[in-house]
Amino acid sequence: MVLMQWLRRCNAAIGTQHISTALRSPGHAPNTAELHVVWPGFGTCFFWQAGVMSRLSEEFRMAQVPTVGSSGGGLVAILGACEVPPVEAVRLAFRLCREAGVYDRPLGLLGIWRSLVHRWLDELLPADAAARCANVGIVVTEVPSLQPLKLAGWRCRSDLMSAALASAHIPLLLDGTFATRCRDRLVVDGNLHYAWLRRPQSLVPPGPSLVFDPRDDPDLQRALRGFGACVRCMDDRRALGLVELGRRHYDMLVARGAIDRRLLSAHYGRARPSASAPQRRDVVGA
């Protein structure tokens, strides 16, 4: 109750207008400015963002790209830097859900989500994940101040995974606890300010940024209305359908000129021809 009262006071102070952060064109920024790719988290829209990331990964080495993410968006940033194919991530996620009996449990993922995500990351991430994610920042929300905090400079793979889990820690939902501890700080989900309080500056760095916000894709919104955004309402096929929508959204933005490949190449300097795009790994059967 106290938390909800605090949220209402903050929203009243800043208004309730929607902040559009779809894709801020970096074309008007100085060429010396560092371009960031930003991934705000929105639950199962993770799959859509994974599709966008897969298209970026086909053209750029995402480990070299300055990236910021929160909640599920932080997971996308990490998987992209580690070049984990989205098909592999999706099929493993739903296999783990089936093995844990999520579809049969009255409370579904409630209380066991954190352990499943930890196992999921542990199976997907390479041993050198911390080094690959040197350019990835993860945003969490400190408790009790409820201020956003960006974490980076990963000491090891475990440190990176801890931050990813902390950034996605929805109070009470993941493991029954209100908050979790990360780097000696008590924190909760990192998307609080961006999504709930409509404060994009909590996640989007100063300067030119590409912000992949699922709310800016009308095709995705129609798809979610069709079967909902709950994991228990989804399966591998539907999740992979959202991945494909993300890939199409990226292509649409390029076709409309919202994303300039030449500009991205100038910033990142790691564009690679399609022939050398990362090969998909063998995928564990569903």
Side-chain angles (χ1 to χ4, degrees):
M1 180 62 70
V2 173
L3 174 61
M4 295 308 297
Q5 291 174 345
W6 183 86
L7 290 174
R8 283 195 291 269
R9 287 200 300 270
C10 290
N11 272 322
I14 64 174
T16 59
Q17 71 277 11
H18 172 68
I19 303 294
S20 177
T21 56
L23 280 175
R24 301 190 323 193
S25 172
H28 302 292
N31 290 334
T32 55
E34 187 176 57
L35 178 65
H36 284 78
V37 174
V38 181
W39 305 96
F42 284 95
T44 51
C45 294
F46 160 86
F47 302 115
W48 176 89
Q49 290 179 321
V52 176
M53 175 64 85
S54 71
R55 286 292 291 115
L56 284 168
S57 296
E58 290 170 5
E59 301 185 32
F60 308 96
R61 296 189 187 277
M62 294 307 294
Q64 304 299 319
V65 179
T67 306
V68 183
S70 64
S71 197
L75 300 176
V76 172
I78 291 171
L79 297 184
C82 292
E83 298 191 355
V84 175
V87 172
E88 181 177 346
V90 168
R91 291 187 175 174
L92 176 60
F94 284 94
R95 177 169 67 80
L96 293 177
C97 283
R98 286 191 290 270
E99 290 176 357
V102 167
Y103 297 98
D104 300 321
R105 296 179 77 243
L107 298 179
L109 286 166
L110 185 66
I112 64 171
W113 202 343
R114 180 185 175 91
S115 62
L116 290 179
V117 176
H118 184 277
R119 182 180 169 189
W120 179 72
L121 287 172
D122 194 40
E123 293 194 26
L124 288 174
L125 298 186
D128 62 345
R132 294 186 185 217
C133 293
N135 290 310
V136 173
I138 302 295
V139 174
V140 298
T141 303
E142 285 194 88
V143 175
S145 68
L146 296 181
Q147 292 302 304
L149 174 67
K150 177 183 172 183
L151 303 176
W154 314 114
R155 298 186 288 265
C156 60
R157 183 173 179 270
S158 178
D159 182 41
L160 173 67
M161 290 174 56
S162 175
L165 290 167
S167 182
H169 191 90
I170 302 172
L172 304 179
L173 180 59
L174 263 70
D175 61 1
T177 63
F178 179 81
T180 189
R181 191 163 294 279
C182 179
R183 291 188 176 180
D184 296 324
R185 298 172 185 268
L186 205 58
V187 301
V188 295
D189 190 285
N191 216 36
L192 173 66
H193 283 261
Y194 182 94
W196 286 70
L197 303 182
R198 299 175 175 86
R199 291 176 173 171
Q201 67 273 16
S202 66
L203 182 63
V204 183
S209 298
L210 296 176
V211 184
F212 291 100
D213 189 320
R215 296 173 296 183
D216 296 309
D217 184 357
D219 291 335
L220 173 65
Q221 299 309 311
R222 283 191 291 270
L224 292 179
R225 283 198 297 271
F227 57 83
C230 175
V231 171
R232 292 185 70 185
C233 299
M234 302 180 70
D235 55 20
D236 308 46
R237 180 181 59 82
R238 286 172 170 169
L240 290 172
L242 298 187
V243 171
E244 182 59 29
L245 283 179
R247 292 177 60 84
R248 293 178 187 174
H249 185 71
Y250 175 86
D251 291 336
M252 179 272 293
L253 292 171
V254 171
R256 291 183 178 179
I259 294 180
D260 188 333
R261 282 192 176 106
R262 290 175 298 178
L263 183 63
L264 288 173
S265 298
H267 276 280
Y268 301 146
R270 299 288 291 187
R272 51 178 154 186
S274 57
S276 62
Q279 298 297 312
R280 295 183 184 275
R281 309 180 205 175
D282 292 335
V283 178
V284 178

